[in-house]
Amino acid sequence: MDELSLDDLRAMVAGDMATHARIIAHGEHHWDKLWQPHPASGGAFGGRNNALVTLLGFLRAKRYTIDVAQLQAVWWSDTYCDPPLDREVILETVGRFWSQWAAGTVPDDLPGGQTLAPWEVWDWTRMEVEEEKLGKQSWLIPNVLSTGGLHYISSPPGSGKTWVMCDLIRACCFGGKWLNEFEIPQTRVLYLDEEMGVQKVLERLRKLGMRSAEGMGYLNRVGIRFDQPLDVERIVKHCQSQGIGLVLIDSLVRIHGMDENDNSQMRKLYDAFKKLLDNGITVLIAHHNRKGGTDSTVKHEGMRGAAEIVAAADMAYSVEKQANGLYRMYVTKGRLISDEDAIDVTFEIRDEDGLTQVRTLDAGARSEVITQEIRSKLIELISDSPGITQSRLIELCGSRRSVVIATLADLEASRIVMFEKGPKNAKQYSPTGML
C-alpha cells in the first residue's frame, strides 16, 4: 500500500470531522456550535481561542490520540476560523492539553458526554470542618481590601480614580498608608493598564514620590482579554511565579469583548477573575459610572453595565469629585462588612513641594481646607472683578451660602475686602489694597 500523502490525510480528517458534525448536530449540545465560522472575537464562543478549547474538549472526549488531534485541530482552524489560528499555537495548545489529560489534571469524560457525580450534602459537623479549613476572613486592608477578593472602584471620568489606584501601588510597593490613612503591608503588585499608557502612569507615580518599584509589575496596553482562557492562564501563572498579591486592572471595559449589559456574559467574566481569586490574589478593577448618573437610591446602581458585575464583587467603591475641589470615596457594596465598618472618606489631591499628596482629611482638617479654599477663591474673584455682587460670589464659589457669607464677613473684618451698597441694596465687593 502506498504511503498516504498529507493531502490524503487532510481529506480523511475532513470526512471524519464531517461525520462527527452530523452525529452531534441536533441543536442542543454546545459542541454543535463548533461547526460554524469563528471570528477573532465574538461568535458562538467569544472568539477563535475559546472555540479551540471547546474543540479540544470534544476531541479528548472522543479519545483521539495527540497526533490525530493536532491534525484535526489544524484542519478545523483552516475551515472554520477567520482568520485561521497560527499553526504553532494550535500544536502547542493541543500538546499542553493532552499532557494535562494524561496527568489526570483535566476531567476524563466518557465519549459523548460528561459523567455527573452525585452532590455531596454536608451536615452541620461537616460545615464546621470546612469553615475551619477556610479560616477567618483575611484582609490586605481591614474592612477595605479583602485577601483573594474581587473589588471595583468606579467613577465618572476625571474624578480621581486613577490617582487613588496609583497611590495604592505606592503604598503596596513600600508598605505604609494608602491615602495617608489605611495601613497596608508590603505587597507585590501587577498593574494591567489598558487605559493610560506607560508615560502617564510613570508621571503620576513619580509625582507620588516613586523613583523605583521592585515589587511592581506592569503590562502596557498589551490587549489582555479575560474572555480568552489562554490569557487568563498566562496571568495566573505569572502571578503565582512572582508572588503577586494584588492585581489592578484599568479598566473593565478594555479587558473583554463581551456585552457589559448581559448578565450571563458578565457571569462568565467573573469565572475568569475567579481563577486569580482562588489563588488568594486580590483584584481591584477600575470601572465607569453610568453617563448622567442614576436616580436610584441603591448606591451601586451608579456603576455601568449589568447587575451581575457588582453582584459578583466582594466590595465596591465609588469616587466623586466635589464642588469644593475635594474628593469623596465611599462603599457602594460591602458583602464582607457591616454598615458600621463601611468607609466614607473625603480626600484631597494636592501638590506640595514638587510632590502630589493623595490623602484623606479628618473633620477638622477638612473644615480648615474648605475654609481656606473658599477664602482664596473669594479673594481671587473680588480682585479680578471689583464691584462683584454677593449673590454672584455665592454662585461662582459653588459652596453653601452661609459659608460664603461667613467667609466674606471674616475678610471684611480683616480689611482685605470692602463692600458698598449697589442697586436694590446689593452688596458689591472690592479689594482694599491690603492683599
Side-chain angles (χ1 to χ4, degrees):
M1 179 178 179
D2 295 334
E3 184 177 355
L4 291 173
S5 68
L6 184 58
D7 288 338
D8 292 332
L9 284 171
R10 284 175 175 163
M12 292 173 64
V13 166
D16 196 17
M17 295 291 275
T19 301
H20 284 309
R22 288 194 299 272
I23 291 172
I24 67 172
H26 48 69
E28 296 177 4
H29 200 288
H30 66 280
W31 287 340
D32 186 52
K33 300 175 183 178
L34 286 168
W35 324 107
Q36 60 187 34
H38 300 287
S41 61
F45 297 97
R48 299 170 302 166
N49 289 340
N50 291 349
L52 174 63
V53 170
T54 303
L55 174 73
L56 300 189
F58 167 72
L59 297 178
R60 282 204 311 264
K62 296 301 180 182
R63 296 297 192 273
Y64 280 92
T65 61
I66 185 172
D67 53 342
V68 176
Q70 287 177 330
L71 188 61
Q72 296 208 355
V74 170
W75 171 87
W76 171 87
S77 173
D78 290 342
T79 304
Y80 293 106
C81 292
D82 183 20
L85 290 160
D86 183 80
R87 179 185 177 88
E88 293 303 317
V89 171
I90 296 173
L91 298 181
E92 188 275 333
T93 304
V94 174
R96 186 174 70 255
F97 275 45
W98 257 248
S99 296
Q100 292 172 340
W101 186 30
T105 56
V106 296
D108 187 18
D109 292 342
L110 293 176
Q114 183 178 6
T115 303
L116 299 178
W119 288 322
E120 184 180 7
V121 181
W122 295 349
D123 59 18
W124 184 268
T125 301
R126 176 63 183 278
M127 289 168 65
E128 290 185 328
V129 169
E130 296 301 325
E131 178 190 37
E132 186 175 353
K133 288 180 182 178
L134 292 172
K136 293 183 179 180
Q137 174 65 52
S138 60
W139 300 87
L140 275 179
I141 300 176
N143 298 324
V144 179
L145 292 178
S146 63
T147 304
L150 178 62
H151 310 75
Y152 283 95
I153 181 167
S154 67
S155 75
S159 296
K161 175 176 67 232
T162 306
W163 277 111
V164 168
M165 295 181 73
C166 285
D167 193 62
L168 180 57
I169 292 173
R170 177 200 57 76
C172 286
C173 286
F174 302 106
K177 291 184 177 180
W178 179 37
L179 305 180
N180 200 42
E181 178 169 342
F182 304 108
E183 290 280 359
I184 186 168
Q186 199 167 11
T187 305
R188 298 186 68 84
V189 180
L190 178 62
Y191 187 10
L192 309 184
D193 177 19
E194 296 291 340
E195 283 272 355
M196 293 209 307
V198 65
Q199 286 181 314
K200 291 182 179 179
V201 169
L202 276 177
E203 178 185 5
R204 295 199 176 190
L205 292 177
R206 285 172 180 148
K207 283 185 175 181
L208 291 169
M210 294 182 66
R211 296 296 180 268
S212 65
E214 293 183 5
M216 171 189 169
Y218 176 77
L219 286 173
N220 179 39
R221 294 174 174 173
V222 297
I224 289 173
R225 292 293 182 266
F226 273 77
D227 51 349
Q228 301 292 340
L230 293 180
D231 279 6
V232 177
E233 182 180 340
R234 291 168 67 188
I235 290 294
V236 172
K237 285 185 176 179
H238 174 82
C239 290
Q240 290 173 328
S241 65
Q242 298 301 314
I244 300 295
L246 173 64
V247 171
L248 301 178
I249 299 174
D250 190 6
S251 63
L252 179 65
V253 69
R254 304 292 184 190
I255 56 150
H256 65 87
M258 296 178 168
D259 181 354
E260 271 189 13
N261 296 305
D262 187 313
N263 279 310
S264 63
Q265 292 191 36
M266 290 300 97
R267 196 171 298 118
K268 292 178 182 177
L269 192 61
Y270 168 73
D271 291 339
F273 296 145
K274 198 170 183 296
K275 299 286 200 315
L276 290 167
L277 309 182
D278 288 345
N279 281 277
I281 299 165
T282 302
V283 177
L284 176 62
I285 304 173
H287 191 32
H288 299 292
N289 282 353
R290 301 181 190 277
K291 291 183 179 179
T294 176
D295 295 328
S296 173
T297 57
V298 180
K299 292 180 180 179
H300 63 69
E301 289 189 354
M303 285 176 60
R304 193 175 71 187
E308 183 63 27
I309 296 175
V310 73
D314 293 298
M315 304 285 292
Y317 299 91
S318 183
V319 176
E320 298 174 354
K321 187 173 184 179
Q322 302 180 310
N324 53 26
L326 298 178
Y327 300 80
R328 179 189 176 206
M329 184 171 75
Y330 58 94
V331 173
T332 56
K333 180 189 177 180
R335 193 207 310 274
L336 306 176
I337 59 174
S338 64
D339 290 342
E340 292 76 17
D341 290 327
I343 67 168
D344 187 342
V345 297
T346 299
F347 66 96
E348 63 178 351
I349 302 173
R350 181 181 294 274
D351 291 335
E352 289 182 0
D353 301 323
L355 295 178
T356 299
Q357 303 290 336
V358 183
R359 61 193 178 196
T360 59
L361 306 175
D362 59 31
R366 180 173 182 269
S367 176
E368 181 180 344
V369 168
I370 292 172
T371 301
Q372 184 58 44
E373 288 186 347
I374 294 174
R375 184 183 178 92
S376 299
K377 183 68 173 177
L378 287 172
I379 291 173
E380 178 185 351
L381 290 170
I382 294 169
S383 299
D384 291 345
S385 304
I388 188 170
T389 64
Q390 183 184 86
S391 59
R392 182 60 174 160
L393 288 169
I394 293 170
E395 178 185 349
L396 292 175
C397 268
S399 298
R400 291 198 310 272
R401 175 185 176 87
S402 59
V403 175
V404 174
I405 291 175
T407 307
L408 282 170
D410 179 65
L411 291 173
E412 292 170 36
S414 303
R415 298 183 180 180
I416 295 173
V417 302
M418 61 183 182
F419 72 88
E420 295 178 349
K421 293 284 187 174
K424 298 182 181 180
N425 287 324
K427 288 185 175 182
Q428 295 178 321
Y429 286 88
S430 300
T432 64
M434 298 179 62
L435 296 178

